[in-house]
Amino acid sequence: MKFFVDTGDFKEIEELSDTGLLDGVTTNPSLVAKSGRDFKELIADICKVVAGPVSAEVAATDFDGMMREGERLAKIADNVVVKVPLTFDGLKACRHLSSAGIPVNVTLCFSPNQALLAAKVGAAYISPFVGRLDDINLEGMELIQNIRTIYDNYAFSTEILAASIRSPNHVTQAALAGADVATIPPAVIRKLADHPLTTVGLANFVKDWKATGQSIL
Ligand code: E4P
């Protein structure tokens, strides 16, 4: 499963990119607002440090506006993926942008039917929001499983990008469900390396090594 980081925090992206764990980046208007940065400059900066796909979301909600903004965003760098909302206008924009060779991430997906539509219009990625479904007491991960089954039934090449990931357990469940990608907040990516037995085990190794009085160098 590929790892994208879900953030508009450039410093975090730079640091995580250095670990070799990052395959791409997703942003959304709320994350850009939180960053306080100029949107197009931020996307340009991210594309300089991450070679993989970088999702940049349109702000318009009508077809013509999404097309104009999508074409503008795609010009920022070769690895920009244009993100559009899962509405009828968004699906139409997805079809037109994809036909023009611009990869599209269809976002705000909350049902298997929505995911089916996105695949039919040639989306490069579909973003089902797991955490937001959990928030309203539904089973977010079931959506990933259902989309996986539908896409496999018809050999759709649209990648399932598990979004609204809130915990390490979501990452495990998304991988078990066969998501192609998980877009994960930086804090959750860092937590993936944690295990209490690793912490205790390392503390013991450090203590025992000190007691030997040796040095490797
Ligand atoms: C996906 O692309 C979205 O940016 C994101 O995963 C939304 O997550 P949230 O529900 O935690 O805001």
Side-chain angles (χ1 to χ4, degrees):
M1 185 169 70
K2 285 175 260 187
F3 276 15
F4 290 180
V5 66
D6 194 31
T7 187
D9 184 331
F10 182 68
K11 207 170 154 279
E12 284 279 24
I13 294 169
E14 253 189 329
E15 272 178 33
L16 286 166
S17 158
D18 222 23
T19 64
L21 286 169
L22 272 200
D23 299 299
V25 178
T26 54
T27 61
N28 66 37
S30 308
L31 294 170
V32 173
K34 197 171 159 196
S35 78
R37 295 273 317 265
D38 174 88
F39 180 35
K40 287 177 292 201
E41 279 176 22
L42 174 64
I43 296 296
D45 284 350
I46 296 172
C47 289
K48 278 179 204 142
V49 296
V50 176
V54 175
S55 285
E57 188 160 342
V58 296
T61 55
D62 63 297
F63 171 73
D64 289 334
M66 283 191 240
M67 287 301 295
R68 278 197 303 274
E69 290 180 2
E71 282 161 0
R72 175 67 187 83
L73 290 170
K75 285 199 177 96
I76 295 176
D78 287 346
N79 53 331
V80 166
V81 172
V82 173
K83 214 170 166 188
V84 302
L86 210 154
T87 59
F88 260 96
D89 277 29
L91 290 167
K92 190 173 157 194
C94 175
R95 160 58 75 211
H96 286 252
L97 291 166
S98 303
S99 301
I102 297 171
V104 177
N105 173 359
V106 180
T107 190
L108 290 168
C109 171
F110 294 96
S111 80
N113 281 342
Q114 289 182 317
L116 184 52
L117 295 179
K120 285 177 72 68
V121 295
Y125 300 96
I126 181 68
S127 290
F129 278 36
V130 173
R132 292 193 196 187
L133 283 169
D134 288 357
D135 288 346
I136 58 163
N137 218 18
L138 293 173
E139 191 48 68
M141 214 43 79
E142 211 173 272
L143 177 58
I144 305 286
Q145 291 157 2
N146 289 339
I147 299 173
R148 181 75 282 154
T149 302
I150 291 169
Y151 281 10
D152 289 350
N153 282 349
Y154 299 98
F156 283 123
S157 58
T158 300
E159 292 194 48
I160 303 172
L161 198 172
S164 190
I165 292 286
R166 306 270 174 79
S167 65
N169 189 42
H170 272 160
V171 177
T172 309
Q173 296 305 320
L176 287 170
D180 299 288
V181 190
T183 189
I184 317 170
V188 177
I189 294 185
R190 292 178 197 285
K191 272 193 207 154
L192 294 175
D194 291 348
H195 195 285
L197 291 179
T198 306
T199 309
V200 171
L202 181 59
N204 283 331
F205 286 158
V206 169
K207 179 170 63 66
D208 292 343
W209 176 251
K210 263 196 191 140
T212 69
Q214 298 182 51
S215 159
I216 293 174
L217 300 175

